[in-house]
Amino acid sequence: MQIVLISGLSGSGKSIALNVLEDSGYYVVDNLPATLLPQLVTHLRSVGYARVAVAVDVRSGVSIAALPAQVKSLRDIVDDLRFIFLEARDDALIARFSETRRRHPLAEEGVSLDEAIRRERDALADIAELGHRIDTSDLHPNTLRAWVKDFIHVEASEGLTLMFQSFGFKYGIPLDADLVFDVRCLPNPHYDLNLRPLTGRDQPVIDFLRRIPEVGRMAEDIRHFVANWLPAYVRDNRSYLTVAIGCTGGQHRSVYIAEWLAKKFEDKVRVIVRHRSAARRAVDKSAPRQ
């Protein structure tokens, strides 16, 4: 049996994630009190459901505090348990609630939207560490859908999942990063007009960066640091570790180094690679002009 738990901040994209899972053939349950998780799993298992997705968040009230203990007990009885935690910056959440005119679940009388968001963030702080965190602040819905699909289709394995994520500092440091490395000091392919429209996954950019000794030294230093400290994160019973590599726009240098690092670790642990700003750029280019 495979169970995917979804939690996170209101307005961060949980409905999008649940819709992706439902479309992928999962039996979906939304807004379940955490204390009812064992009964739900026992029942669905007895009637033959093999893939289940459950959303648990602050809408269930004080029972959300029971989620860490429930996750721990479920890992002992379920073959494949995955946890996605969605979050976003305050400004992004406020903009989304303003656009949709939805009411925040903690926005009681006399409580402003930004105060409700702060209360929810505090209430979920410990729960965020249980799952694979995704910062949806600048993500297009289609990008989030693709990332959720990638997550559920990765082969299950024991131990830690290591994610290398490129990003652009001009868009802000992603909230889901555990380790952040700044590669803006390296020569920038952006200033070569032939390389500017490409990314760090394109061969001309790869060839350009490979020829620069500082790029190789920086990449090797990051690899050495992650390799040295990875066992400590494994001993800490971490399920996910996100290593963010940032350059100015998140298009060339960070993408190249994230891909290079992923290849160095793919035979050691389960590895996921994501390119946050490059994905944003691809969506912007495909958008129809007004």
Side-chain angles (χ1 to χ4, degrees), residues 10 57-59 97 102-108 116 120:
S10 302
D57 51 49
V58 293
R59 292 173 296 170
F97 276 102
R102 288 174 51 210
R103 177 182 175 275
H104 191 283
L106 298 185
E108 305 167 353
E120 183 178 31

Side-chain angles (χ1 to χ4, degrees), residues 9 88-90 93 117-125 175:
L9 300 174
R89 297 189 310 270
D90 287 3
L93 295 174
I117 292 171
R118 284 196 297 271
R119 288 184 181 182
E120 183 178 31
R121 199 181 292 281
D122 290 343
L124 296 177
L175 298 175

Side-chain angles (χ1 to χ4, degrees), residues 136-192:
T136 69
S137 302
D138 300 307
L139 290 188
H140 189 276
N142 285 340
T143 302
L144 177 57
R145 292 184 186 99
W147 286 11
V148 172
K149 288 180 181 178
D150 289 344
F151 178 75
I152 62 175
H153 290 149
V154 170
E155 184 178 352
S157 64
E158 293 294 328
L160 180 144
T161 296
L162 180 59
M163 186 175 80
F164 293 103
Q165 177 175 240
S166 68
F167 73 96
F169 274 96
K170 71 178 182 180
Y171 303 117
I173 297 174
L175 298 175
D176 49 12
D178 297 303
L179 300 173
V180 178
F181 294 94
D182 182 354
V183 300
R184 286 176 292 182
C185 61
L186 301 176
N188 192 350
H190 173 82
Y191 296 109
D192 184 321

